[in-house]
Amino acid sequence: MKSTRMLRWSTMLVSGAVMLQLGGCSVDLSGVFDFLQTAFLGITAAGAIAILQNI
């Protein structure tokens, strides 16, 4: 049970990191909101992937 939960969380984190890299946003003071928006998009995409895998 724990391994499934850890696999799900690691999948979400890795998917979010990939989305951040594909988004190509820079992390500077003027682009903080762009970075946060891309991070939330990555988290949402990772959640969608996790949901689709459980269907």
mmCIF file of all heavy atoms in Angstrom:
data_model
loop_
_atom_site.group_PDB
_atom_site.id
_atom_site.type_symbol
_atom_site.label_atom_id
_atom_site.label_comp_id
_atom_site.label_asym_id
_atom_site.label_seq_id
_atom_site.Cartn_x
_atom_site.Cartn_y
_atom_site.Cartn_z
ATOM 1 N N MET A 1 0.812 -1.179 0.000
ATOM 2 C CA MET A 1 0.000 0.000 0.000
ATOM 3 C C MET A 1 0.867 1.258 0.000
ATOM 4 O O MET A 1 0.587 2.188 -0.706
ATOM 5 C CB MET A 1 -0.909 -0.054 1.227
ATOM 6 C CG MET A 1 -2.096 0.816 1.146
ATOM 7 S SD MET A 1 -3.237 0.211 -0.081
ATOM 8 C CE MET A 1 -4.650 1.112 0.352
ATOM 9 N N LYS A 2 1.915 1.254 0.817
ATOM 10 C CA LYS A 2 2.788 2.419 0.869
ATOM 11 C C LYS A 2 3.544 2.611 -0.440
ATOM 12 O O LYS A 2 3.759 3.735 -0.870
ATOM 13 C CB LYS A 2 3.777 2.296 2.019
ATOM 14 C CG LYS A 2 3.227 2.660 3.350
ATOM 15 C CD LYS A 2 4.336 2.699 4.389
ATOM 16 C CE LYS A 2 3.822 3.207 5.704
ATOM 17 N NZ LYS A 2 4.889 3.345 6.682
ATOM 18 N N SER A 3 3.946 1.509 -1.068
ATOM 19 C CA SER A 3 4.702 1.644 -2.310
ATOM 20 C C SER A 3 3.837 2.221 -3.418
ATOM 21 O O SER A 3 4.324 2.991 -4.241
ATOM 22 C CB SER A 3 5.274 0.298 -2.731
ATOM 23 O OG SER A 3 4.235 -0.620 -3.014
ATOM 24 N N THR A 4 2.552 1.888 -3.422
ATOM 25 C CA THR A 4 1.650 2.446 -4.423
ATOM 26 C C THR A 4 1.489 3.948 -4.218
ATOM 27 O O THR A 4 1.503 4.726 -5.180
ATOM 28 C CB THR A 4 0.267 1.762 -4.339
ATOM 29 O OG1 THR A 4 0.447 0.367 -4.451
ATOM 30 C CG2 THR A 4 -0.642 2.250 -5.428
ATOM 31 N N ARG A 5 1.359 4.349 -2.970
ATOM 32 C CA ARG A 5 1.215 5.773 -2.666
ATOM 33 C C ARG A 5 2.486 6.529 -3.019
ATOM 34 O O ARG A 5 2.435 7.611 -3.599
ATOM 35 C CB ARG A 5 0.897 5.950 -1.182
ATOM 36 C CG ARG A 5 0.516 7.364 -0.836
ATOM 37 C CD ARG A 5 0.193 7.529 0.627
ATOM 38 N NE ARG A 5 -0.660 6.463 1.114
ATOM 39 C CZ ARG A 5 -0.753 6.115 2.395
ATOM 40 N NH1 ARG A 5 -0.044 6.745 3.297
ATOM 41 N NH2 ARG A 5 -1.538 5.129 2.774
ATOM 42 N N MET A 6 3.638 5.949 -2.694
ATOM 43 C CA MET A 6 4.911 6.603 -3.015
ATOM 44 C C MET A 6 5.117 6.670 -4.525
ATOM 45 O O MET A 6 5.626 7.670 -5.035
ATOM 46 C CB MET A 6 6.063 5.865 -2.339
ATOM 47 C CG MET A 6 6.083 6.058 -0.838
ATOM 48 S SD MET A 6 7.367 5.134 0.007
ATOM 49 C CE MET A 6 8.830 5.636 -0.846
ATOM 50 N N LEU A 7 4.726 5.620 -5.237
ATOM 51 C CA LEU A 7 4.835 5.629 -6.691
ATOM 52 C C LEU A 7 3.952 6.715 -7.285
ATOM 53 O O LEU A 7 4.354 7.416 -8.215
ATOM 54 C CB LEU A 7 4.456 4.260 -7.247
ATOM 55 C CG LEU A 7 4.520 4.119 -8.771
ATOM 56 C CD1 LEU A 7 5.952 4.309 -9.261
ATOM 57 C CD2 LEU A 7 3.988 2.769 -9.192
ATOM 58 N N ARG A 8 2.757 6.873 -6.738
ATOM 59 C CA ARG A 8 1.847 7.904 -7.235
ATOM 60 C C ARG A 8 2.420 9.301 -7.013
ATOM 61 O O ARG A 8 2.409 10.138 -7.911
ATOM 62 C CB ARG A 8 0.501 7.779 -6.529
ATOM 63 C CG ARG A 8 -0.545 8.683 -7.126
ATOM 64 C CD ARG A 8 -1.905 8.571 -6.449
ATOM 65 N NE ARG A 8 -2.198 7.245 -5.975
ATOM 66 C CZ ARG A 8 -2.818 7.004 -4.824
ATOM 67 N NH1 ARG A 8 -3.199 7.986 -4.055
ATOM 68 N NH2 ARG A 8 -3.072 5.767 -4.447
ATOM 69 N N TRP A 9 2.961 9.540 -5.813
ATOM 70 C CA TRP A 9 3.532 10.854 -5.521
ATOM 71 C C TRP A 9 4.777 11.124 -6.370
ATOM 72 O O TRP A 9 4.965 12.225 -6.873
ATOM 73 C CB TRP A 9 3.867 10.975 -4.040
ATOM 74 C CG TRP A 9 2.670 11.356 -3.234
ATOM 75 C CD1 TRP A 9 1.933 10.545 -2.444
ATOM 76 C CD2 TRP A 9 2.052 12.643 -3.171
ATOM 77 N NE1 TRP A 9 0.894 11.233 -1.888
ATOM 78 C CE2 TRP A 9 0.939 12.524 -2.313
ATOM 79 C CE3 TRP A 9 2.326 13.870 -3.745
ATOM 80 C CZ2 TRP A 9 0.108 13.603 -2.034
ATOM 81 C CZ3 TRP A 9 1.495 14.930 -3.457
ATOM 82 C CH2 TRP A 9 0.405 14.803 -2.611
ATOM 83 N N SER A 10 5.615 10.119 -6.527
ATOM 84 C CA SER A 10 6.813 10.333 -7.341
ATOM 85 C C SER A 10 6.436 10.558 -8.798
ATOM 86 O O SER A 10 7.055 11.378 -9.488
ATOM 87 C CB SER A 10 7.779 9.156 -7.207
ATOM 88 O OG SER A 10 7.188 7.972 -7.687
ATOM 89 N N THR A 11 5.401 9.866 -9.277
ATOM 90 C CA THR A 11 4.937 10.091 -10.647
ATOM 91 C C THR A 11 4.434 11.517 -10.815
ATOM 92 O O THR A 11 4.730 12.179 -11.821
ATOM 93 C CB THR A 11 3.815 9.097 -11.004
ATOM 94 O OG1 THR A 11 4.293 7.777 -10.830
ATOM 95 C CG2 THR A 11 3.345 9.288 -12.423
ATOM 96 N N MET A 12 3.687 12.009 -9.834
ATOM 97 C CA MET A 12 3.185 13.376 -9.922
ATOM 98 C C MET A 12 4.327 14.391 -9.894
ATOM 99 O O MET A 12 4.331 15.349 -10.668
ATOM 100 C CB MET A 12 2.199 13.655 -8.792
ATOM 101 C CG MET A 12 0.875 12.979 -8.991
ATOM 102 S SD MET A 12 -0.465 13.554 -7.945
ATOM 103 C CE MET A 12 0.228 13.505 -6.317
ATOM 104 N N LEU A 13 5.306 14.169 -9.023
ATOM 105 C CA LEU A 13 6.416 15.113 -8.932
ATOM 106 C C LEU A 13 7.266 15.116 -10.197
ATOM 107 O O LEU A 13 7.655 16.176 -10.699
ATOM 108 C CB LEU A 13 7.278 14.791 -7.714
ATOM 109 C CG LEU A 13 6.644 15.093 -6.364
ATOM 110 C CD1 LEU A 13 7.542 14.607 -5.240
ATOM 111 C CD2 LEU A 13 6.365 16.569 -6.227
ATOM 112 N N VAL A 14 7.546 13.939 -10.725
ATOM 113 C CA VAL A 14 8.356 13.852 -11.935
ATOM 114 C C VAL A 14 7.607 14.451 -13.128
ATOM 115 O O VAL A 14 8.185 15.184 -13.936
ATOM 116 C CB VAL A 14 8.772 12.392 -12.214
ATOM 117 C CG1 VAL A 14 9.368 12.234 -13.586
ATOM 118 C CG2 VAL A 14 9.746 11.929 -11.155
ATOM 119 N N SER A 15 6.318 14.169 -13.213
ATOM 120 C CA SER A 15 5.532 14.734 -14.306
ATOM 121 C C SER A 15 5.479 16.258 -14.210
ATOM 122 O O SER A 15 5.551 16.960 -15.219
ATOM 123 C CB SER A 15 4.116 14.171 -14.295
ATOM 124 O OG SER A 15 4.140 12.788 -14.481
ATOM 125 N N GLY A 16 5.354 16.761 -13.002
ATOM 126 C CA GLY A 16 5.368 18.204 -12.805
ATOM 127 C C GLY A 16 6.701 18.817 -13.205
ATOM 128 O O GLY A 16 6.750 19.882 -13.824
ATOM 129 N N ALA A 17 7.800 18.147 -12.870
ATOM 130 C CA ALA A 17 9.120 18.648 -13.247
ATOM 131 C C ALA A 17 9.299 18.651 -14.757
ATOM 132 O O ALA A 17 9.873 19.588 -15.324
ATOM 133 C CB ALA A 17 10.208 17.798 -12.593
ATOM 134 N N VAL A 18 8.788 17.610 -15.418
ATOM 135 C CA VAL A 18 8.877 17.561 -16.876
ATOM 136 C C VAL A 18 8.071 18.696 -17.494
ATOM 137 O O VAL A 18 8.517 19.350 -18.440
ATOM 138 C CB VAL A 18 8.401 16.189 -17.400
ATOM 139 C CG1 VAL A 18 8.201 16.195 -18.897
ATOM 140 C CG2 VAL A 18 9.388 15.114 -17.006
ATOM 141 N N MET A 19 6.886 18.947 -16.954
ATOM 142 C CA MET A 19 6.059 20.043 -17.475
ATOM 143 C C MET A 19 6.760 21.390 -17.276
ATOM 144 O O MET A 19 6.674 22.274 -18.126
ATOM 145 C CB MET A 19 4.696 20.058 -16.794
ATOM 146 C CG MET A 19 3.791 18.918 -17.200
ATOM 147 S SD MET A 19 3.387 18.910 -18.951
ATOM 148 C CE MET A 19 2.413 20.389 -19.065
ATOM 149 N N LEU A 20 7.456 21.549 -16.151
ATOM 150 C CA LEU A 20 8.196 22.792 -15.932
ATOM 151 C C LEU A 20 9.301 22.951 -16.961
ATOM 152 O O LEU A 20 9.531 24.039 -17.485
ATOM 153 C CB LEU A 20 8.797 22.816 -14.524
ATOM 154 C CG LEU A 20 7.849 23.164 -13.397
ATOM 155 C CD1 LEU A 20 8.559 23.002 -12.061
ATOM 156 C CD2 LEU A 20 7.354 24.574 -13.563
ATOM 157 N N GLN A 21 10.013 21.874 -17.264
ATOM 158 C CA GLN A 21 11.096 21.965 -18.230
ATOM 159 C C GLN A 21 10.559 22.212 -19.630
ATOM 160 O O GLN A 21 11.146 22.964 -20.403
ATOM 161 C CB GLN A 21 11.937 20.697 -18.202
ATOM 162 C CG GLN A 21 12.780 20.592 -16.967
ATOM 163 C CD GLN A 21 13.635 19.342 -16.958
ATOM 164 O OE1 GLN A 21 13.439 18.446 -17.766
ATOM 165 N NE2 GLN A 21 14.577 19.289 -16.043
ATOM 166 N N LEU A 22 9.447 21.560 -19.970
ATOM 167 C CA LEU A 22 8.875 21.765 -21.291
ATOM 168 C C LEU A 22 8.288 23.161 -21.435
ATOM 169 O O LEU A 22 8.244 23.709 -22.531
ATOM 170 C CB LEU A 22 7.793 20.714 -21.573
ATOM 171 C CG LEU A 22 8.302 19.294 -21.781
ATOM 172 C CD1 LEU A 22 7.122 18.337 -21.962
ATOM 173 C CD2 LEU A 22 9.219 19.213 -22.978
ATOM 174 N N GLY A 23 7.813 23.729 -20.317
ATOM 175 C CA GLY A 23 7.267 25.076 -20.343
ATOM 176 C C GLY A 23 8.330 26.120 -20.620
ATOM 177 O O GLY A 23 8.054 27.175 -21.184
ATOM 178 N N GLY A 24 9.548 25.836 -20.236
ATOM 179 C CA GLY A 24 10.668 26.737 -20.515
ATOM 180 C C GLY A 24 10.603 28.057 -19.777
ATOM 181 O O GLY A 24 11.136 29.058 -20.243
ATOM 182 N N CYS A 25 9.957 28.089 -18.629
ATOM 183 C CA CYS A 25 9.883 29.351 -17.905
ATOM 184 C C CYS A 25 11.185 29.578 -17.132
ATOM 185 O O CYS A 25 11.834 28.649 -16.681
ATOM 186 C CB CYS A 25 8.695 29.357 -16.949
ATOM 187 S SG CYS A 25 8.790 28.115 -15.675
ATOM 188 N N SER A 26 11.558 30.819 -17.033
ATOM 189 C CA SER A 26 12.775 31.154 -16.298
ATOM 190 C C SER A 26 12.413 31.507 -14.865
ATOM 191 O O SER A 26 11.335 32.018 -14.585
ATOM 192 C CB SER A 26 13.480 32.340 -16.953
ATOM 193 O OG SER A 26 12.621 33.466 -16.949
ATOM 194 N N VAL A 27 13.337 31.236 -13.968
ATOM 195 C CA VAL A 27 13.093 31.514 -12.556
ATOM 196 C C VAL A 27 13.867 32.775 -12.192
ATOM 197 O O VAL A 27 14.998 32.730 -11.749
ATOM 198 C CB VAL A 27 13.525 30.324 -11.674
ATOM 199 C CG1 VAL A 27 13.157 30.595 -10.226
ATOM 200 C CG2 VAL A 27 12.890 29.046 -12.153
ATOM 201 N N ASP A 28 13.269 33.917 -12.414
ATOM 202 C CA ASP A 28 13.846 35.178 -11.973
ATOM 203 C C ASP A 28 12.750 35.963 -11.265
ATOM 204 O O ASP A 28 11.589 35.558 -11.238
ATOM 205 C CB ASP A 28 14.452 35.966 -13.133
ATOM 206 C CG ASP A 28 13.445 36.234 -14.230
ATOM 207 O OD1 ASP A 28 12.336 35.683 -14.178
ATOM 208 O OD2 ASP A 28 13.769 37.000 -15.142
ATOM 209 N N LEU A 29 13.104 37.080 -10.679
ATOM 210 C CA LEU A 29 12.131 37.813 -9.871
ATOM 211 C C LEU A 29 10.968 38.347 -10.696
ATOM 212 O O LEU A 29 9.851 38.437 -10.195
ATOM 213 C CB LEU A 29 12.830 38.955 -9.134
ATOM 214 C CG LEU A 29 13.824 38.513 -8.050
ATOM 215 C CD1 LEU A 29 14.489 39.719 -7.416
ATOM 216 C CD2 LEU A 29 13.126 37.673 -6.997
ATOM 217 N N SER A 30 11.184 38.700 -11.948
ATOM 218 C CA SER A 30 10.090 39.227 -12.762
ATOM 219 C C SER A 30 9.176 38.124 -13.274
ATOM 220 O O SER A 30 8.042 38.380 -13.638
ATOM 221 C CB SER A 30 10.650 40.028 -13.942
ATOM 222 O OG SER A 30 11.397 39.165 -14.786
ATOM 223 N N GLY A 31 9.653 36.876 -13.289
ATOM 224 C CA GLY A 31 8.835 35.791 -13.809
ATOM 225 C C GLY A 31 8.330 34.837 -12.750
ATOM 226 O O GLY A 31 8.055 33.680 -13.048
ATOM 227 N N VAL A 32 8.200 35.318 -11.515
ATOM 228 C CA VAL A 32 7.766 34.452 -10.427
ATOM 229 C C VAL A 32 6.350 33.949 -10.678
ATOM 230 O O VAL A 32 6.058 32.771 -10.480
ATOM 231 C CB VAL A 32 7.859 35.180 -9.065
ATOM 232 C CG1 VAL A 32 7.213 34.375 -7.960
ATOM 233 C CG2 VAL A 32 9.302 35.469 -8.729
ATOM 234 N N PHE A 33 5.480 34.837 -11.161
ATOM 235 C CA PHE A 33 4.108 34.415 -11.402
ATOM 236 C C PHE A 33 4.031 33.432 -12.564
ATOM 237 O O PHE A 33 3.225 32.502 -12.534
ATOM 238 C CB PHE A 33 3.207 35.621 -11.655
ATOM 239 C CG PHE A 33 3.001 36.459 -10.418
ATOM 240 C CD1 PHE A 33 3.410 37.773 -10.391
ATOM 241 C CD2 PHE A 33 2.405 35.920 -9.284
ATOM 242 C CE1 PHE A 33 3.233 38.538 -9.260
ATOM 243 C CE2 PHE A 33 2.227 36.674 -8.152
ATOM 244 C CZ PHE A 33 2.639 37.994 -8.129
ATOM 245 N N ASP A 34 4.859 33.617 -13.580
ATOM 246 C CA ASP A 34 4.911 32.647 -14.667
ATOM 247 C C ASP A 34 5.397 31.294 -14.157
ATOM 248 O O ASP A 34 4.871 30.250 -14.556
ATOM 249 C CB ASP A 34 5.836 33.122 -15.785
ATOM 250 C CG ASP A 34 5.270 34.300 -16.545
ATOM 251 O OD1 ASP A 34 4.034 34.444 -16.559
ATOM 252 O OD2 ASP A 34 6.069 35.061 -17.118
ATOM 253 N N PHE A 35 6.367 31.312 -13.278
ATOM 254 C CA PHE A 35 6.877 30.074 -12.700
ATOM 255 C C PHE A 35 5.798 29.374 -11.880
ATOM 256 O O PHE A 35 5.599 28.169 -11.997
ATOM 257 C CB PHE A 35 8.104 30.367 -11.829
ATOM 258 C CG PHE A 35 8.633 29.149 -11.137
ATOM 259 C CD1 PHE A 35 9.379 28.227 -11.834
ATOM 260 C CD2 PHE A 35 8.380 28.929 -9.794
ATOM 261 C CE1 PHE A 35 9.882 27.080 -11.206
ATOM 262 C CE2 PHE A 35 8.862 27.797 -9.152
ATOM 263 C CZ PHE A 35 9.615 26.885 -9.864
ATOM 264 N N LEU A 36 5.076 30.127 -11.046
ATOM 265 C CA LEU A 36 4.018 29.526 -10.234
ATOM 266 C C LEU A 36 2.897 28.970 -11.101
ATOM 267 O O LEU A 36 2.376 27.890 -10.839
ATOM 268 C CB LEU A 36 3.455 30.560 -9.252
ATOM 269 C CG LEU A 36 4.356 30.922 -8.079
ATOM 270 C CD1 LEU A 36 3.726 32.032 -7.246
ATOM 271 C CD2 LEU A 36 4.622 29.704 -7.221
ATOM 272 N N GLN A 37 2.539 29.709 -12.154
ATOM 273 C CA GLN A 37 1.490 29.239 -13.040
ATOM 274 C C GLN A 37 1.917 27.944 -13.738
ATOM 275 O O GLN A 37 1.129 27.008 -13.869
ATOM 276 C CB GLN A 37 1.158 30.310 -14.078
ATOM 277 C CG GLN A 37 0.011 29.932 -14.977
ATOM 278 C CD GLN A 37 -0.332 31.053 -15.944
ATOM 279 O OE1 GLN A 37 0.367 32.059 -16.023
ATOM 280 N NE2 GLN A 37 -1.409 30.880 -16.664
ATOM 281 N N THR A 38 3.166 27.881 -14.167
ATOM 282 C CA THR A 38 3.667 26.670 -14.812
ATOM 283 C C THR A 38 3.750 25.521 -13.808
ATOM 284 O O THR A 38 3.459 24.367 -14.149
ATOM 285 C CB THR A 38 5.050 26.930 -15.427
ATOM 286 O OG1 THR A 38 4.964 28.070 -16.274
ATOM 287 C CG2 THR A 38 5.520 25.752 -16.240
ATOM 288 N N ALA A 39 4.120 25.819 -12.568
ATOM 289 C CA ALA A 39 4.173 24.780 -11.538
ATOM 290 C C ALA A 39 2.783 24.210 -11.277
ATOM 291 O O ALA A 39 2.609 22.985 -11.195
ATOM 292 C CB ALA A 39 4.769 25.346 -10.250
ATOM 293 N N PHE A 40 1.792 25.087 -11.168
ATOM 294 C CA PHE A 40 0.429 24.609 -10.956
ATOM 295 C C PHE A 40 -0.073 23.823 -12.159
ATOM 296 O O PHE A 40 -0.808 22.842 -12.007
ATOM 297 C CB PHE A 40 -0.515 25.762 -10.638
ATOM 298 C CG PHE A 40 -0.297 26.360 -9.278
ATOM 299 C CD1 PHE A 40 -0.350 27.727 -9.093
ATOM 300 C CD2 PHE A 40 -0.033 25.558 -8.175
ATOM 301 C CE1 PHE A 40 -0.153 28.281 -7.849
ATOM 302 C CE2 PHE A 40 0.172 26.097 -6.930
ATOM 303 C CZ PHE A 40 0.109 27.467 -6.758
ATOM 304 N N LEU A 41 0.321 24.225 -13.358
ATOM 305 C CA LEU A 41 -0.048 23.473 -14.553
ATOM 306 C C LEU A 41 0.583 22.082 -14.525
ATOM 307 O O LEU A 41 -0.059 21.091 -14.868
ATOM 308 C CB LEU A 41 0.389 24.226 -15.808
ATOM 309 C CG LEU A 41 0.143 23.531 -17.143
ATOM 310 C CD1 LEU A 41 -1.348 23.359 -17.378
ATOM 311 C CD2 LEU A 41 0.775 24.315 -18.270
ATOM 312 N N GLY A 42 1.831 21.993 -14.094
ATOM 313 C CA GLY A 42 2.501 20.705 -13.990
ATOM 314 C C GLY A 42 1.860 19.814 -12.948
ATOM 315 O O GLY A 42 1.694 18.609 -13.164
ATOM 316 N N ILE A 43 1.468 20.391 -11.825
ATOM 317 C CA ILE A 43 0.804 19.610 -10.779
ATOM 318 C C ILE A 43 -0.546 19.103 -11.285
ATOM 319 O O ILE A 43 -0.923 17.948 -11.059
ATOM 320 C CB ILE A 43 0.642 20.456 -9.504
ATOM 321 C CG1 ILE A 43 2.013 20.720 -8.880
ATOM 322 C CG2 ILE A 43 -0.283 19.785 -8.502
ATOM 323 C CD1 ILE A 43 2.013 21.757 -7.793
ATOM 324 N N THR A 44 -1.268 19.966 -12.007
ATOM 325 C CA THR A 44 -2.557 19.558 -12.555
ATOM 326 C C THR A 44 -2.386 18.446 -13.577
ATOM 327 O O THR A 44 -3.141 17.464 -13.585
ATOM 328 C CB THR A 44 -3.257 20.763 -13.208
ATOM 329 O OG1 THR A 44 -3.374 21.800 -12.239
ATOM 330 C CG2 THR A 44 -4.627 20.394 -13.720
ATOM 331 N N ALA A 45 -1.375 18.563 -14.436
ATOM 332 C CA ALA A 45 -1.128 17.525 -15.438
ATOM 333 C C ALA A 45 -0.718 16.213 -14.771
ATOM 334 O O ALA A 45 -1.151 15.141 -15.190
ATOM 335 C CB ALA A 45 -0.049 17.988 -16.414
ATOM 336 N N ALA A 46 0.100 16.303 -13.738
ATOM 337 C CA ALA A 46 0.513 15.092 -13.034
ATOM 338 C C ALA A 46 -0.683 14.427 -12.355
ATOM 339 O O ALA A 46 -0.801 13.206 -12.353
ATOM 340 C CB ALA A 46 1.587 15.423 -12.004
ATOM 341 N N GLY A 47 -1.573 15.222 -11.800
ATOM 342 C CA GLY A 47 -2.779 14.667 -11.200
ATOM 343 C C GLY A 47 -3.667 13.999 -12.231
ATOM 344 O O GLY A 47 -4.249 12.940 -11.978
ATOM 345 N N ALA A 48 -3.777 14.608 -13.407
ATOM 346 C CA ALA A 48 -4.577 14.012 -14.477
ATOM 347 C C ALA A 48 -3.983 12.681 -14.932
ATOM 348 O O ALA A 48 -4.714 11.715 -15.179
ATOM 349 C CB ALA A 48 -4.684 14.978 -15.653
ATOM 350 N N ILE A 49 -2.669 12.627 -15.018
ATOM 351 C CA ILE A 49 -2.010 11.369 -15.411
ATOM 352 C C ILE A 49 -2.267 10.296 -14.359
ATOM 353 O O ILE A 49 -2.565 9.152 -14.682
ATOM 354 C CB ILE A 49 -0.505 11.597 -15.623
ATOM 355 C CG1 ILE A 49 -0.269 12.426 -16.876
ATOM 356 C CG2 ILE A 49 0.241 10.277 -15.727
ATOM 357 C CD1 ILE A 49 1.158 12.894 -17.051
ATOM 358 N N ALA A 50 -2.182 10.672 -13.084
ATOM 359 C CA ALA A 50 -2.415 9.703 -12.014
ATOM 360 C C ALA A 50 -3.864 9.210 -12.034
ATOM 361 O O ALA A 50 -4.119 8.020 -11.839
ATOM 362 C CB ALA A 50 -2.086 10.332 -10.659
ATOM 363 N N ILE A 51 -4.800 10.091 -12.311
ATOM 364 C CA ILE A 51 -6.210 9.690 -12.384
ATOM 365 C C ILE A 51 -6.428 8.755 -13.565
ATOM 366 O O ILE A 51 -7.110 7.742 -13.442
ATOM 367 C CB ILE A 51 -7.118 10.928 -12.478
ATOM 368 C CG1 ILE A 51 -7.130 11.669 -11.138
ATOM 369 C CG2 ILE A 51 -8.539 10.545 -12.878
ATOM 370 C CD1 ILE A 51 -7.808 13.007 -11.181
ATOM 371 N N LEU A 52 -5.848 9.087 -14.709
ATOM 372 C CA LEU A 52 -6.041 8.250 -15.879
ATOM 373 C C LEU A 52 -5.416 6.871 -15.708
ATOM 374 O O LEU A 52 -5.919 5.887 -16.238
ATOM 375 C CB LEU A 52 -5.466 8.936 -17.114
ATOM 376 C CG LEU A 52 -6.260 10.139 -17.623
ATOM 377 C CD1 LEU A 52 -5.516 10.812 -18.770
ATOM 378 C CD2 LEU A 52 -7.641 9.714 -18.065
ATOM 379 N N GLN A 53 -4.325 6.785 -14.968
ATOM 380 C CA GLN A 53 -3.697 5.500 -14.734
ATOM 381 C C GLN A 53 -4.526 4.623 -13.803
ATOM 382 O O GLN A 53 -4.433 3.402 -13.861
ATOM 383 C CB GLN A 53 -2.294 5.671 -14.165
ATOM 384 C CG GLN A 53 -1.303 6.163 -15.189
ATOM 385 C CD GLN A 53 0.074 6.354 -14.596
ATOM 386 O OE1 GLN A 53 0.240 6.309 -13.383
ATOM 387 N NE2 GLN A 53 1.052 6.581 -15.430
ATOM 388 N N ASN A 54 -5.335 5.239 -12.965
ATOM 389 C CA ASN A 54 -6.155 4.473 -12.019
ATOM 390 C C ASN A 54 -7.504 4.074 -12.593
ATOM 391 O O ASN A 54 -8.239 3.338 -11.961
ATOM 392 C CB ASN A 54 -6.372 5.282 -10.727
ATOM 393 C CG ASN A 54 -5.106 5.355 -9.910
ATOM 394 O OD1 ASN A 54 -4.290 4.449 -9.975
ATOM 395 N ND2 ASN A 54 -4.955 6.425 -9.162
ATOM 396 N N ILE A 55 -7.844 4.573 -13.767
ATOM 397 C CA ILE A 55 -9.148 4.230 -14.375
ATOM 398 C C ILE A 55 -9.092 2.855 -14.950
ATOM 399 O O ILE A 55 -8.212 2.404 -15.554
ATOM 400 C CB ILE A 55 -9.548 5.273 -15.437
ATOM 401 C CG1 ILE A 55 -9.900 6.566 -14.746
ATOM 402 C CG2 ILE A 55 -10.710 4.776 -16.253
ATOM 403 C CD1 ILE A 55 -10.307 7.674 -15.669
#
